[in-house]
């Protein structure tokens, strides 16, 4: 009797536990196929959702960035309109009258980098009797408006809550490509680059600056992504790898970018002589195309990641696309360093 009563009393609890357990199993079983589910099959070969998501991650992130930029531009316009409307209302003026008044201000003229206060309208009337604005007047008006907004912003409490999109976190292999910095550095920057790309050349000094600032806390890995519009880039990549056989990849890398010229290639043998490589060894490496498949593999890996332009960097898996100043890298590197500290050894 006691057992029966106990079972009756515990019945709702047991049922609730079973429901929670079943729901958890159902959730986990439905979550698993989210990325491993088959998106399509081609002649029996499956393409998974995960493959598609990986290849689309960077292009979709770029779309998100463009959307964010447009939203922020529109937000700034709204802020400016609000500041001008509020100031005009405070003075009992229209916005046009406010700008007319600002045009006569010495302080606004200085901010607008004008020689002195200006008149917004020509003094001579047009054919219909109204005053006509000239091209120069329109330019001056724009400068006056911006100068007035600088003044208004300085005395306003403006807080931007809208955040830019977070870059995706991707799994990026370092392969066995040339690197500089310790293998166990908390931050790894993988660069997909093209020796014939002018924007990649601009990034060489930025990478050196990051090395000076962060030292052994970062590791730089160079991977090849020779573009189809650069006919000499793939062979240059092979030459740099051949120089790497003699432990002079980075010296050859710097020479290739330093001697980069639009529309022309390089004399690879002469560059090899310049950094005192063993000529026969280097020539044999080039003649046998030893690294052609290695360069092609880098390119394929880049395509799988959705890379469409060079340079493309990955800071602990987070993409940074295009030539950027060191400051843009600092934000990602500092965030990655903070995360590595939280995770610990």
């Amino acid at each position: 009797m006691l057992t029966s009563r106990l079972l009756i009393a515990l019945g709702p609890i047991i049922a609730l536990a079973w429901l929670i357990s079943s729901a958890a199993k159902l959730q986990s079983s439905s979550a698993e196929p989210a990325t491993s589910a088959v998106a399509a099959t081609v002649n029996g070969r499956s393409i998974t959702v995960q493959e598609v998501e990986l290849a689309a991650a960077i292009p979709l992130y770029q779309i998100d960035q463009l959307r964010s930029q447009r939203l922020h531009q529109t937000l700034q316009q709204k802020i400016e309109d609000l500041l001008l409307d509020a100031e005009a209302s405070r003075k009992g003026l229209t916005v046009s009258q406010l700008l007319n008044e600002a045009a006569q201000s010495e302080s606004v003229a200085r901010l607008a980098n004008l020689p002195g206060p200006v008149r917004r309208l020509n003094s001579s009337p047009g054919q219909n009797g109204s005053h006509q604005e000239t091209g120069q007047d329109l330019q001056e008006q724009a400068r006056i408006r911006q100068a007035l907004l600088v003044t208004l912003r300085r005395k306003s409490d403006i807080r931007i809550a809208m955040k830019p999109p977070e870059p995706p976190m991707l799994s990026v292999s370092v392969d066995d490509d040339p690197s500089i910095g310790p293998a166990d550095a908390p931050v790894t920057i993988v660069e997909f680059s093209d020796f014939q790309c002018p924007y990649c050349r601009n990034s060489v000094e930025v990478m050196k600056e990051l090395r000076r600032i962060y030292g052994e806390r970062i590791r730089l890995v160079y991977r090849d992504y020779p573009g189809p519009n650069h006919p000499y880039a793939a062979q240059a990549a092979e030459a740099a790898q051949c120089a790497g056989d003699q432990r002079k990849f980075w010296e050859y890398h710097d020479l290739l970018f330093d001697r980069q010229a639009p529309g022309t290639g390089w004399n690879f043998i002469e560059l090899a002589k310049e950094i005192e490589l063993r000529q026969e060894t280097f020539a044999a490496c080039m003649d046998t195309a030893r690294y052609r498949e290695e360069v092609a593999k880098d390119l394929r890996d880049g395509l799988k990641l959705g890379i469409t332009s060079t340079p493309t960097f990955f800071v602990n898996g987070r993409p940074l696309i295009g030539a950027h100043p060191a400051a843009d890298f600092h934000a990602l590197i500092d965030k990655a360093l903070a995360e590595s500290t939280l995770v610990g050894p």
Side-chain angles (χ1 to χ4, degrees):
M1 182 71 69
L2 179 60
T3 304
S4 300
R5 289 177 181 176
L6 184 61
L7 288 174
I8 292 171
L10 293 176
I13 299 174
I14 295 170
L16 179 61
W18 180 84
L19 285 172
I20 292 173
S21 175
S22 299
K25 289 179 181 177
L26 181 61
Q27 184 178 10
S28 63
S29 64
S30 62
E32 285 174 5
T35 55
S36 60
V38 175
T41 57
V42 181
N43 296 327
R45 196 280 189 193
S46 297
I47 301 172
T48 66
V49 172
Q50 185 178 30
E51 289 178 274
V52 176
E53 289 178 347
L54 177 62
I58 291 179
L60 289 176
Y61 173 55
Q62 289 176 295
I63 292 172
D64 286 344
Q65 283 183 308
L66 290 173
R67 180 178 181 275
S68 176
Q69 289 169 8
R70 179 55 60 89
L71 287 172
H72 276 81
Q73 288 170 3
T74 303
L75 176 61
Q76 291 301 330
Q77 291 169 5
K78 293 286 186 185
I79 290 172
E80 291 177 358
D81 290 343
L82 187 60
L83 289 173
L84 291 173
D85 287 341
E87 182 68 6
S89 177
R90 187 181 71 82
K91 292 189 172 185
L93 303 172
T94 65
V95 172
S96 294
Q97 289 171 332
L98 178 68
L99 293 173
N100 266 325
E101 179 185 86
Q104 308 305 314
S105 165
E106 290 282 355
S107 60
V108 170
R110 284 194 299 273
L111 279 173
N113 198 26
L114 295 170
V118 297
R119 298 186 64 83
R120 295 182 68 245
L121 300 175
N122 283 339
S123 56
S124 57
Q127 292 180 354
N128 60 0
S130 63
H131 290 270
Q132 300 295 309
E133 295 179 348
T134 67
Q136 182 61 38
D137 289 326
L138 293 174
Q139 292 177 22
E140 289 175 345
Q141 284 180 52
R143 289 162 69 179
I144 289 165
R145 184 178 185 274
Q146 288 306 311
L148 177 58
L149 283 166
V150 168
T151 303
L152 296 177
R153 282 176 179 275
R154 285 175 178 172
K155 59 183 182 182
S156 300
D157 181 16
I158 301 172
R159 304 180 189 185
I160 306 295
M162 188 183 294
K163 303 294 184 184
E166 278 290 323
M169 178 76 80
L170 302 176
S171 177
V172 183
S173 171
V174 299
D175 201 34
D176 55 353
D177 285 287
S179 66
I180 184 169
D184 61 350
V187 177
T188 296
I189 301 174
V190 180
E191 175 186 6
F192 281 82
S193 190
D194 176 326
F195 285 111
Q196 214 175 338
C197 160
Y199 303 104
C200 300
R201 178 183 182 179
N202 294 340
S203 297
V204 172
E205 288 305 316
V206 174
M207 293 299 103
K208 289 181 179 179
E209 181 181 346
L210 293 177
R211 280 284 296 162
R212 286 192 292 270
I213 294 171
Y214 291 97
E216 299 298 282
R217 290 178 293 169
I218 65 172
R219 178 191 184 194
L220 304 180
V221 180
Y222 186 94
R223 300 199 66 181
D224 295 298
Y225 196 87
N229 57 328
H230 294 152
Y232 309 105
Q235 195 175 11
E238 292 180 43
Q241 294 280 359
C242 287
D245 281 350
Q246 300 183 45
R247 298 185 178 181
K248 291 193 175 183
F249 171 84
W250 293 104
E251 291 177 58
Y252 205 89
H253 161 284
D254 290 354
L255 265 183
L256 285 169
F257 279 120
D258 184 59
R259 306 293 167 80
Q260 184 189 91
T264 63
W266 298 263
N267 186 322
F268 300 118
I269 296 297
E270 288 301 317
L271 293 184
K273 288 179 182 177
E274 204 166 322
I275 60 172
E276 299 180 347
L277 293 178
R278 295 188 300 277
Q279 294 303 300
E280 289 184 6
T281 304
F282 179 80
C285 180
M286 292 294 289
D287 291 342
T288 57
R290 184 182 303 166
Y291 287 101
R292 185 160 299 169
E293 176 54 30
E294 170 65 26
V295 172
K297 181 181 181 298
D298 278 4
L299 180 60
R300 289 195 300 270
D301 286 352
L303 288 170
K304 287 178 184 177
L305 287 166
I307 294 172
T308 57
S309 62
T310 53
T312 293
F313 301 89
F314 295 90
V315 181
N316 276 13
R318 290 190 175 93
L320 191 59
I321 302 159
H324 285 262
D328 290 351
F329 286 91
H330 291 326
L332 287 177
I333 293 172
D334 291 344
K335 182 175 182 178
L337 286 172
E339 290 170 348
S340 70
T341 302
L342 291 174
V343 171

